[in-house]
Amino acid sequence: MDGTRPEGMRVALVTGASGGIGRACAVSLAEDGWAVAVGYRSSEAAARETLQAVEEAGGKGTVVRLDVTDEGGVREAFRTVAEDLGPVAGLVNNAGMSRDGLAIRYPTAAFDRTMETNARGAFLCSREALRDMLRSRWGRIVNVSSAVALRGNPGQVAYAASKAAMIGMTRSLAREVGSRGITVNAVCPGVVITDMTEGLPDERIAALVGNTPAGRPGTPAEVGAAIRFLLSEEAGYVNGAVLAVDGGLTA
């Protein structure tokens, strides 16, 4: 299989695309010619702001409610995207959650919810996306992991475990489907200022930036650019890669 993309417009689904890295990724993909399905769980208004940004970038898109923890809902969301735009050829598993806390006092329910959202959610969406990708023998999946999965961080045992699980999933799935013209890769953002990180204490952000050779936080657009490359035709020989987009934090 030569990995040549099938005819017609490529359709990408970005989960957790209401803001931050997801929004930047959606806009970047629109600029690269993708039709973009903007996945959201709770804020349709924010998702529509992303859609507006996609359209302003010259792209075509739609919004779709997608709770990645709901297996039936995932299946229905993919059907909706296929009806509105076409089958999903590119999937960005960006939806995620984080609740910090020391392990000794960490609630089991919060651990389970973190794993369910970050790891199980990526699995459910990937499995659903593969149905059409395998039929067309072309596809791109990018899992948004974290630098924390590579280096660890006090108070983030659950988050790090879930994001490390995504890396294992990436590498194993890449081996399963690589012969079918499908690539599966992961990006590991470092300190990027988003709604999720804005809740962290200033001293923690400062400490992380202090350990980053670049000496500054990254931007969602910089992560989006890396994801855009991994979904591109040019990245057809990049499979099972784990790309740190972290200013050197994990170097």
Side-chain angles (χ1 to χ4, degrees), residues 187-219:
V187 295
C188 292
V191 187
V192 178
I193 303 304
T194 64
D195 289 343
M196 186 180 293
T197 57
E198 280 179 351
L200 295 175
D202 291 343
E203 57 270 21
R204 180 172 291 184
I205 294 291
L208 289 169
V209 172
N211 282 319
T212 302
R216 65 170 178 84
T219 67

Side-chain angles (χ1 to χ4, degrees), residues 130-152:
L130 283 171
R131 301 185 195 283
D132 283 317
M133 291 180 182
L134 287 168
R135 276 193 289 267
S136 63
R137 296 181 68 84
W138 196 95
R140 300 283 187 265
I141 297 174
V142 175
N143 293 318
V144 181
S145 180
S146 170
V148 172
L150 303 176
R151 71 187 297 272

Side-chain angles (χ1 to χ4, degrees), residues 38-187:
V38 177
Y40 74 95
R41 183 180 66 84
S42 56
S43 179
E44 182 177 353
R48 292 201 174 279
E49 290 177 3
T50 299
L51 177 60
Q52 181 178 350
V54 163
E55 291 171 344
E56 289 173 352
K60 176 183 178 182
T62 189
V63 298
V64 59
R65 188 178 186 283
L66 174 55
D67 180 350
V68 299
T69 68
D70 179 355
E71 184 173 357
V74 167
R75 192 175 301 115
E76 182 59 33
F78 274 80
R79 277 199 294 263
T80 299
V81 173
E83 291 170 0
D84 290 350
L85 298 174
V88 171
L91 170 66
V92 181
N93 284 312
N94 173 70
M97 66 161 286
S98 176
R99 175 176 171 179
D100 291 356
L102 296 177
I104 192 68
R105 295 191 296 271
Y106 202 80
T108 302
F111 182 91
D112 290 344
R113 179 67 177 175
T114 302
M115 295 297 295
E116 183 181 33
T117 301
N118 298 351
R120 182 173 179 271
F123 167 75
L124 291 178
C125 290
S126 296
R127 186 178 64 182
E128 197 62 35
L130 283 171
R131 301 185 195 283
D132 283 317
M133 291 180 182
L134 287 168
R135 276 193 289 267
S136 63
R137 296 181 68 84
W138 196 95
R140 300 283 187 265
I141 297 174
V142 175
N143 293 318
V144 181
S145 180
S146 170
V148 172
L150 303 176
R151 71 187 297 272
N153 204 36
Q156 291 192 307
V157 168
Y159 185 68
S162 68
K163 292 297 187 177
M166 292 177 75
I167 291 176
M169 191 186 313
T170 296
R171 288 173 166 155
S172 297
L173 194 53
R175 287 184 171 274
E176 285 190 16
V177 300
S179 65
R180 304 296 195 274
I182 303 166
T183 66
V184 187
N185 296 290
V187 295

Side-chain angles (χ1 to χ4, degrees), residues 236-247:
Y237 202 58
V238 182
N239 191 28
V242 179
L243 176 61
V245 188
D246 65 0

Side-chain angles (χ1 to χ4, degrees), residues 18-31:
S18 296
I21 290 172
R23 177 174 292 176
C25 179
V27 172
S28 186
L29 290 173
E31 292 172 343

